[in-house]
């Protein structure tokens, strides 16, 4: 199994641009989570989906952030417009059965200049 | 979910057992203890979890005190590749969120 696949690995963009991060969960997993990691705030849960339906988006920082899961094998996290304070590593994780046993991707390092 | 307290850093000699403590004195009866680790520049990795019994797998052992107010993750023979931040997390049974704290930076040295 290839594990959770995230793309791109690195993204450098300018303030005001739209950024789209992508995630392919492990086949058969029914829950998907988006986390953000910064030095100041650590790992923060942004949103999670169960069976492709958003369950809790209380961690999404503001309306500039949106996430979708059009099918069981794909999810996106979009930031529009991006700001320098959005610079972070964004992780996607998936699980099946035990929601505490997450499998994380390698993350996307986002730099907004 | 119950709050956890971990030491910010620990050192361990290669080949020795690494014992990482975690305090979760406000844990409730239906809350599980999970351990993850994060090697630099990688995503967090699940290690082990338990409710009240001690658990062991190929990676580590988890010892939970009888009153469940604390636990210890044991890496029996630490190697340099075990250098990572280790997170102790308490999750409510039925809950879907994992809230990561600041963890313990374990440094394994020769």
């Amino acid at each position: 199994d290839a594990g959770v696949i995230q793309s791109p690995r690195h993204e450098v963009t300018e303030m005001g641009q739209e950024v789209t991060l992508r995630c392919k969960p492990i086949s058969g997993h029914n829950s998907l989570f988006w986390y953000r990691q910064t030095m100041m705030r650590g790992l923060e849960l942004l949103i999670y989906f169960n069976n492709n339906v958003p369950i809790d988006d209380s961690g999404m920082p503001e309306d500039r952030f949106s996430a979708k899961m059009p099918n069981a094998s794909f999810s996106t996290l979009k930031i529009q417009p991006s700001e320098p304070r959005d610079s972070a590593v964004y992780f996607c994780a998936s699980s099946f059965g035990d929601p505490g046993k997450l499998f994380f991707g390698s993350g996307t390092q986002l730099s907004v200049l | 979910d119950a709050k956890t307290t971990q030491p910010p850093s620990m050192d361990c000699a290669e080949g020795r057992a690494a014992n990482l403590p975690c305090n979760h004195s406000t844990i409730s009866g239906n809350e599980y203890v999970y351990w993850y680790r994060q090697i630099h520049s990688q995503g967090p990795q699940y290690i082990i979890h338990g409710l009240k019994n001690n658990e062991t797998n190929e990676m580590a052992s988890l010892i939970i005190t009888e009153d469940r107010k604390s636990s210890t993750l044991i890496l029996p023979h630490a190697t340099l590749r075990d250098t990572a931040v280790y997170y102790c997390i308490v999750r409510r049974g039925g809950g879907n969120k994992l809230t990561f704290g600041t963890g313990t930076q374990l440094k394994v040295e020769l």
Side-chain angles (χ1 to χ4, degrees):
Chain A
D1 196 327
V4 175
I5 300 173
Q6 292 187 246
S7 64
R9 283 299 311 272
H10 303 275
E11 176 81 34
V12 180
T13 190
E14 293 187 345
M15 184 174 62
Q17 297 297 306
E18 177 180 296
V19 175
T20 299
L21 312 181
R22 296 172 176 78
C23 175
K24 176 178 168 55
I26 292 173
S27 177
H29 283 195
N30 62 343
S31 294
L32 184 139
F33 303 77
W34 282 100
Y35 281 84
R36 176 173 70 175
Q37 187 171 34
T38 61
M39 288 291 292
M40 291 294 294
R41 301 174 67 92
L43 269 163
E44 302 174 279
L45 177 63
L46 301 177
I47 185 171
Y48 75 89
F49 296 81
N50 194 43
N51 294 322
N52 312 338
V53 176
I55 302 300
D56 186 343
D57 65 354
S58 59
M60 296 286 261
E62 48 197 277
D63 292 345
R64 298 184 297 107
F65 286 69
S66 63
K68 293 182 179 179
M69 192 165 186
N71 57 61
S73 58
F74 185 65
S75 177
T76 59
L77 178 67
K78 184 179 293 186
I79 308 172
Q80 165 65 15
S82 58
E83 297 183 2
R85 60 188 166 131
D86 302 330
S87 297
V89 181
Y90 290 81
F91 289 104
C92 175
S94 68
S95 71
F96 175 76
D98 182 351
K101 191 173 179 180
L102 304 185
F103 293 81
F104 281 80
S106 299
T108 294
Q109 173 76 61
L110 174 65
S111 297
V112 183
L113 307 178
Chain B
D1 295 338
K3 181 182 169 67
T4 62
T5 304
Q6 299 178 254
S9 64
M10 293 182 64
D11 294 333
C12 179
E14 188 178 35
R16 304 296 293 268
N19 297 287
L20 294 98
C22 180
N23 182 286
H24 31 79
S25 57
T26 60
I27 195 169
S28 300
N30 67 342
E31 290 182 315
Y32 292 75
V33 180
Y34 284 79
W35 283 84
Y36 279 74
R37 73 179 183 183
Q38 187 173 23
I39 296 170
H40 184 61
S41 298
Q42 297 182 21
Q45 177 189 22
Y46 166 85
I47 301 173
I48 199 168
H49 77 280
L51 182 62
K52 53 184 177 181
N53 296 324
N54 297 337
E55 302 288 344
T56 295
N57 63 20
E58 66 278 4
M59 291 183 68
S61 294
L62 174 60
I63 308 298
I64 302 174
T65 58
E66 193 169 340
D67 63 8
R68 302 186 67 241
K69 292 185 177 182
S70 65
S71 60
T72 301
L73 180 74
I74 300 173
L75 309 177
H77 305 288
T79 71
L80 298 178
R81 289 180 294 180
D82 292 321
T83 292
V85 177
Y86 287 77
Y87 298 97
C88 170
I89 305 164
V90 171
R91 183 187 73 86
R92 179 176 53 86
N96 286 325
K97 289 185 178 183
L98 276 187
T99 302
F100 288 78
T102 54
T104 296
Q105 171 68 64
L106 174 68
K107 186 176 181 181
V108 181
E109 301 172 306
L110 292 171

